[in-house]
Amino acid sequence: MKILGIETSCDETAIALFDNEKLLYSKVSSHLIHKKYGGVVPELASREHDKILPKLFKDCLKSSKLSPVEIDLISVTQGPGLAGSLISGASFAKGLSLANKIPIIGINHLEAHIFANILSDPNLKFPFVCLLVSGGHTQLWHVNGLGKYKLLGETRDDAAGEAFDKGARILGLGYPGGPEIEKCAKNGNTKKINFPKALMSKKNLEFSFSGLKTSLLYYYRNNSKTDIADIAASYQSSIIETLLQKLSWSLDLTNCNTCVIAGGVAANSHLRNIAHKFLPKKKIIFPKMEFCTDNGAMIAYLAYLYSKNGKFTEIDFKIYPNMKINQYAV
Ligand code: KG4
Ligand code: ZN
């Protein structure tokens, strides 16, 4: 069964083709246009998707030697994300579906991030705890199977990725902020500045990163001579240690031995390097690097799992910018 995956929720245009447990094609085009604004400009993102999608789709057909009618299922991100960007992807998918009489399925982007871990490691078994850390979300989920998720905790304000992006802007680094802070922090001293960690009373599974960002702003303003590598390393370490501490508490609470880390922040090498220190004796799974940040493969893979359960979407489906993870669970 050949499944096309289309992802356009934010500033990456991505297409993948998945067939019988195998990924035949997967390309991601990141919009460079936003770099000069230091963040995503929604209007420009929609225009980029409209421009890039047809090119990527043609490239996908060419490289997999297929014609559109040979695609069995079209999957597309239905939410959450930027409204205009979601509409670009959904309109393209609906056009393809109607023109070629191919069934369509709307996919929840966050749920797709969680299942990217099974795409990376097919031996991953339920139940597990997922730390979902992206640009818009920071959540801890107890995952018991497809569509069986319990929210254990989430952020009250900024997401972890957002804390990286806003922190990078304060430090005058580029966008997206995560990779920039990681690069800058490489030879820095993680213990140089004691940045705050919020809501750390025992077993509190909520997050808050807005105070940390403010504290970085004031520190940088008043200590312009401190080595920027030390500031970046200390700031990164405060975010990562908070995430890992809460992940560890959530494993205790659920009696789980396995955890997965999903979303763009899962690409962070400091997180990958120190995770085992916080979670000794636990099985920790990170998705392959190419499945951490937004991609079409995770959309096509989740569509594959849902299609095995006979779930499809009507062609007139709406997009949901604030879609919740279990909004359409089967
Ligand atoms: O999952 P994703 O690609 O898009 C959303 O669904 O939001 O995540 C993007 C976020 C951005 O905030 C970006 O700064 C962060 O992931 N990110 C990282 C790294 N790579 C991407 N954060 C920390 N370290 C990284 N290496
Ligand atoms: Zn994402």
Side-chain angles (χ1 to χ4, degrees):
M1 183 171 194
K2 294 181 181 60
I3 305 176
L4 186 75
I6 300 174
E7 156 60 35
T8 62
S9 64
C10 192
D11 60 338
E12 256 103 25
T13 311
I15 282 194
L17 191 70
F18 187 79
D19 185 21
N20 292 331
E21 309 267 342
K22 254 190 19 232
L23 198 56
L24 301 182
Y25 176 94
S26 180
K27 272 202 185 152
V28 179
S29 173
S30 301
H31 306 174
L32 301 177
I33 196 163
H34 307 288
K35 277 195 187 288
K36 62 177 176 242
Y37 301 100
V40 180
V41 183
E43 160 94 21
L44 296 180
S46 323
R47 288 171 187 263
E48 287 295 286
H49 291 307
D50 276 351
K51 197 170 77 186
I52 300 167
L53 269 177
K55 287 191 208 157
L56 267 189
F57 181 59
K58 272 193 186 168
D59 186 55
C60 171
L61 292 180
K62 196 171 160 202
S63 95
S64 44
K65 299 190 178 62
L66 284 181
S67 75
V69 288
E70 290 175 278
I71 296 170
D72 300 300
L73 176 64
I74 295 167
S75 59
V76 62
T77 303
Q78 189 173 8
L82 299 170
S85 291
L86 292 169
I87 289 171
S88 295
S91 305
F92 187 84
K94 287 180 183 189
L96 267 184
S97 162
L98 279 174
N100 300 289
K101 300 190 177 58
I102 305 169
I104 192 165
I105 179 166
I107 291 292
N108 185 309
H109 178 89
L110 299 177
E111 197 179 356
H113 268 305
I114 297 179
F115 281 83
N117 284 281
I118 303 186
L119 179 59
S120 278
D121 180 351
N123 296 320
L124 175 61
K125 298 274 179 295
F126 302 112
F128 56 81
V129 168
C130 177
L131 170 66
L132 177 56
V133 268
S134 68
H137 294 81
T138 296
Q139 297 174 326
L140 281 162
W141 288 95
H142 189 209
V143 180
N144 273 293
L146 185 65
K148 294 182 190 148
Y149 322 118
K150 184 167 178 250
L151 184 64
L152 302 169
E154 65 182 329
T155 184
R156 288 186 185 178
D157 41 55
D158 292 348
E162 202 175 351
F164 274 104
D165 294 336
K166 289 179 174 169
R169 202 177 310 162
I170 292 169
L171 297 176
L173 304 171
Y175 180 86
E180 293 292 328
I181 291 198
E182 181 183 331
K183 217 185 321 157
C184 182
K186 199 156 179 241
N187 298 314
N189 176 358
T190 55
K191 301 209 162 30
K192 173 85 185 184
I193 306 137
N194 193 11
F195 282 121
K197 296 190 188 101
L199 306 173
M200 295 306 275
S201 58
K202 198 156 172 46
K203 309 235 154 111
N204 184 336
L205 298 183
E206 280 190 300
F207 301 87
S208 167
F209 293 108
S210 67
L212 170 67
K213 170 194 69 194
T214 311
S215 130
L216 174 71
L217 179 70
Y218 287 125
Y219 182 88
Y220 191 53
R221 235 184 234 167
N222 300 328
N223 299 275
S224 55
K225 291 209 173 70
T226 311
D227 187 345
I228 193 163
D230 292 342
I231 304 179
S234 303
Y235 183 75
Q236 170 175 262
S237 162
S238 166
I239 300 174
I240 299 300
E241 288 182 11
T242 303
L243 294 174
L244 289 172
Q245 181 59 69
K246 287 175 186 256
L247 176 57
S248 159
W249 286 338
S250 66
L251 286 162
D252 290 347
L253 188 87
T254 53
N255 251 324
C256 259
N257 278 320
T258 307
C259 62
V260 305
I261 307 189
V265 180
N268 185 274
S269 58
H270 185 59
L271 172 64
R272 288 174 177 250
N273 291 340
I274 69 164
H276 64 277
K277 276 197 214 152
F278 278 78
L279 306 157
K281 300 190 197 133
K282 301 287 179 190
K283 187 171 177 199
I284 314 165
I285 292 171
F286 286 94
K288 287 184 187 153
M289 285 306 229
E290 69 261 36
F291 301 146
C292 287
T293 44
D294 292 347
N295 62 86
M298 66 182 192
I299 304 299
Y301 181 65
L302 187 57
Y304 163 70
L305 297 180
Y306 272 116
S307 68
K308 285 207 290 189
N309 287 352
K311 190 200 171 222
F312 300 95
T313 311
E314 294 298 322
I315 189 79
D316 60 351
F317 72 81
K318 288 194 261 181
I319 54 98
Y320 294 98
N322 297 314
M323 195 174 192
K324 300 284 175 273
I325 209 157
N326 35 18
Q327 194 160 336
Y328 280 121
V330 277

